[in-house]
Amino acid sequence: MHSDVNALFHALWENYRTVTPSADRIHSLLAERETKAIVNDHIALRTFNLAPVGLDALAKHFLALGYTAGGEYHFDAKKLYARHYEHANPNLPKVFISELLVDQCSPELQSIAQKLVAQIAPTATEADDFLYSGRHWTLDYATYQTLLAESEYAGWLAAWGYRANHFTVSINHLESLQSVEEINTLLKANGFTVNQAGGEVKGSPQDCLEQSSTMADRVPVHFSDQQAIIPSCFYEFARRYPTDAGKLYTGFVAASADRIFESTDSQ
C-alpha cells in the first residue's frame, strides 16, 4: 500500500484522466482563471460486496494513511451501500466508496459478478496500485450488456474495474466562481454536458451541500471479443456550507449522490 497519501491521489488522478479527457480540459479551463491550484473535494470508488474486493478492502488503503470512517449511505433502488472517509487534514480529499449488494441482485447478475471476482488474485487488493489497477477479469461485450440492463453500476464496474469513478472540484476553494450555477454555465458555454438527473444542481444550502457533474466521457474499451465506445468517468463540482455548529459540512447527501451515480448512464 502507498505510504504517501499525495502520491496515491496523484496516481489515481493520472489514471483517471487517461479515460476522462473532459476532466483534463475542464481542469485547464478552471486553472486559467485561478491563481491557486484546483482543490479536490473528494473522489469516489466502486466495487462489489464480494470477497476479496468488498468496500473494506478498498477502504484499508485510506485507513492506513490516517483516514477515518464518516457517514453511511443506502441506495435501496440501486442496491448500493456506501461510506465516506475523511482525514484530520481538511486539505486532503474525502473518499466516497460504494459497493453493489450483489446478493440483492438477480441470480444471473450474482453468477456473473462471482465469476468476475473469482479471477482476482487473493493478494491483488494489497498492491500499491490496486485502487487504480483497472479490470482484473476477462469480459465479453454481451456479458457487459447483460449487467448493464440490470444495473448500470454493475456494467460500469465490470468494464472499468478499479479506478476513481470521479474527482470533484471544491467550489469553496475557487476564486473566480462562487456557485454551482456559475460552474454549470461555464461548462455548458464550453460544450460540456451537465448531468440533468434531478436537476442540474443537486442538494441545497439547507442540505449543507450542493453538487453538479458532467456526464461521463464516452471512450473506446477493449472487451474480449470486440472494442466498443462506452461511458467512462465524469467530473463533479461541490460547494459545501457550514452546519449549525459553524464548520463546513464534510458528509454527503444520499438523495444527491443517488443522482450523481447516473452521470455514467448511457446517454
Side-chain angles (χ1 to χ4, degrees), residues 11 29-30 61 64 88 94 126 141 178 181:
L29 182 67
L30 293 172
H61 287 261
K94 288 163 278 295
E126 305 288 338
Y141 187 66
Q178 272 73 54
E181 289 87 353

Side-chain angles (χ1 to χ4, degrees), residues 217-231:
D217 285 326
R218 298 179 63 84
V219 299
V221 169
H222 291 283
F223 294 92
S224 60
D225 55 343
Q226 68 178 86
Q227 180 176 286
I229 294 174
I230 67 169

Side-chain angles (χ1 to χ4, degrees), residues 113-133:
Q114 287 160 0
K115 287 174 183 172
L116 297 180
V117 171
Q119 297 173 54
I120 301 176
T123 57
T125 62
E126 305 288 338
D128 277 2
D129 68 349
F130 177 67
L131 297 177
Y132 48 94
S133 58

Side-chain angles (χ1 to χ4, degrees), residues 18 52 58 81-82 127 138 142 147 152 163 169 173 180 217 243 252:
T18 63
L58 279 61
Y81 167 75
T138 57
L147 292 172
E152 181 281 324
R163 63 182 67 235
V169 173
H173 289 84
V180 177
D217 285 326
T243 64
F252 294 84

Side-chain angles (χ1 to χ4, degrees), residues 28-47:
S28 297
L29 182 67
L30 293 172
E32 289 167 7
R33 307 164 62 96
E34 299 289 314
T35 61
K36 298 175 184 173
I38 307 300
V39 173
N40 177 29
D41 179 87
H42 70 273
I43 66 162
L45 298 161
R46 295 180 175 187
T47 193

Side-chain angles (χ1 to χ4, degrees), residues 195-250:
N195 176 341
Q196 303 282 336
E200 288 187 357
V201 180
K202 287 90 165 107
S204 67
Q206 290 72 37
D207 295 322
C208 296
L209 177 63
E210 291 180 313
Q211 298 161 273
S212 73
S213 63
T214 61
M215 291 301 288
D217 285 326
R218 298 179 63 84
V219 299
V221 169
H222 291 283
F223 294 92
S224 60
D225 55 343
Q226 68 178 86
Q227 180 176 286
I229 294 174
I230 67 169
S232 61
C233 306
F234 60 93
Y235 213 4
E236 188 184 321
F237 313 88
R239 181 176 177 189
R240 295 181 178 276
Y241 293 85
T243 64
D244 291 341
K247 291 185 177 180
L248 277 188
Y249 179 62
T250 59

Side-chain angles (χ1 to χ4, degrees), residues 15-125:
N15 172 265
Y16 159 83
R17 63 198 282 265
T18 63
V19 298
T20 321
S22 65
D24 241 1
R25 298 199 303 273
I26 294 167
H27 192 276
S28 297
L29 182 67
L30 293 172
E32 289 167 7
R33 307 164 62 96
E34 299 289 314
T35 61
K36 298 175 184 173
I38 307 300
V39 173
N40 177 29
D41 179 87
H42 70 273
I43 66 162
L45 298 161
R46 295 180 175 187
T47 193
F48 297 112
N49 70 334
L50 299 173
V53 294
L55 186 155
D56 290 338
L58 279 61
K60 66 184 177 185
H61 287 261
F62 298 99
L63 296 174
L65 293 167
Y67 276 75
T68 55
E72 297 181 276
Y73 311 91
H74 300 271
F75 305 92
D76 295 338
K78 291 182 172 67
K79 301 180 172 65
L80 304 174
Y81 167 75
R83 279 204 302 267
H84 91 266
Y85 297 82
E86 51 190 90
H87 199 278
N89 177 353
N91 295 319
L92 287 174
K94 288 163 278 295
V95 179
F96 187 92
I97 307 176
S98 57
E99 62 182 6
L100 181 67
L101 305 174
V102 175
D103 47 307
Q104 295 183 14
C105 299
S106 71
E108 185 175 29
L109 188 150
Q110 291 184 46
S111 175
I112 293 170
Q114 287 160 0
K115 287 174 183 172
L116 297 180
V117 171
Q119 297 173 54
I120 301 176
T123 57
T125 62

